[in-house]
Amino acid sequence: MTRTQPRQQMVVGVDVNEGDVSENGDIKLDSVRNTILTMGQIDSRGGADEAVIRVAHTTSVPPAFTLVIPSTQEWNPLGSLIPNDAMGNLNIMTGQSHLLDASYKALTASIDAYYLENPDAPRPPAVMVAGFSQGGITAGAFAELYGEDLNVKQVLTVGAEIGRFDIDLDVNVVAYEATGDLVPKLGGARNPAEWETIEADNGGGTITSHKAVLYAGMADDLPPKISASFDQFFDSNSVIEDYHARK
């Protein structure tokens, strides 16, 4: 389903160009920066009431699909009804994650719906998985568990500790980790040399660097070296659907 929102120029605390926002108020998935801003947008839409998981597909044939997974939005796990709560950070490391399950269901539902309407389109579509913080950790787990079955070709994580995941080397992994952000360092696992780990000061220091908005600015300044790997997923006219999940 899509959310109908008024056109806006202030999105998740940052000014965006009118051309970066669709008529429904969704940030267009047409750049690394806007993909990171999308992470902040779905967090603000879901809050502590529900997890908003975004799936988009390009207008090309075959399409390429992007799955954007939300970050932690409820820090008190007692009585929490959303899959992206504090316990989700622990659960994802054991593979027993409600957020991982909900993300899988959202992506496969979107792919199935597309091919129901377009049965002659080539299969399988390429998939990118992206997320900030817990969303990024979940993206790493998703690529490890479902990468081959769902043709995951690109992973984009922001402020997330993903070094422990065994992601196929055929998958292009880009991880933004600000030097002042402690979250990507919590597990102590270093990212494989084959991945592109982009480390720099995002302007937030040690206290406030763990913010999607600051990472979006960092991506503007430091784009991935292998930026062409993203091209098939970026489309200013992508079809965007938000899936809403609770436990």
Side-chain angles (χ1 to χ4, degrees), residues 4-205:
T4 301
Q5 299 284 341
R7 184 181 298 272
Q8 49 191 302
Q9 288 188 296
M10 176 64 76
V11 180
V12 293
V14 64
D15 286 316
V16 296
N17 296 325
E18 185 173 312
D20 289 335
V21 181
S22 73
E23 291 182 357
N24 290 330
D26 301 318
I27 297 173
K28 296 179 180 179
L29 286 162
D30 57 5
S31 66
V32 173
R33 172 184 182 270
N34 281 356
T35 302
I36 296 174
L37 287 177
T38 292
M39 300 171 191
Q41 185 177 56
I42 61 174
D43 281 346
S44 65
R45 286 188 177 179
D49 296 322
E50 58 186 359
V52 175
I53 301 164
R54 180 160 295 177
V55 183
H57 69 76
T58 60
T59 54
S60 59
V61 180
F65 282 77
T66 296
L67 169 67
V68 187
I69 306 172
S71 70
T72 307
Q73 294 300 301
E74 174 57 77
W75 292 99
N76 181 3
L78 300 178
S80 170
L81 296 177
I82 63 172
N84 51 328
D85 59 16
M87 284 301 297
N89 290 288
L90 301 176
N91 293 339
I92 190 58
M93 295 304 182
T94 66
Q96 304 296 319
S97 165
H98 293 291
L99 184 58
L100 180 65
D101 293 343
S103 298
Y104 176 85
K105 291 176 182 176
L107 177 62
T108 54
S110 185
I111 292 175
D112 289 347
Y114 174 84
Y115 282 101
L116 185 64
E117 293 185 3
N118 303 275
D120 296 326
R123 300 170 184 252
V127 169
M128 174 168 71
V129 190
F132 164 63
S133 197
Q134 183 180 168
I137 299 171
T138 307
F142 191 101
E144 179 185 68
L145 292 172
Y146 305 120
E148 183 175 357
D149 291 343
L150 292 176
N151 199 34
V152 174
K153 295 298 184 184
Q154 177 72 56
V155 174
L156 172 64
T157 66
V158 175
E161 193 274 301
I162 61 168
R164 68 185 64 196
F165 295 115
D166 184 17
I167 300 173
D168 194 287
L169 292 178
D170 289 337
V171 179
N172 188 55
V173 180
V174 173
Y176 280 91
E177 300 181 1
T179 51
D181 190 351
L182 300 179
V183 174
K185 307 173 181 65
L186 290 177
R190 295 183 62 84
N191 293 348
E194 294 82 1
W195 299 356
E196 184 177 359
T197 302
I198 300 174
E199 297 177 290
D201 181 0
N202 68 0

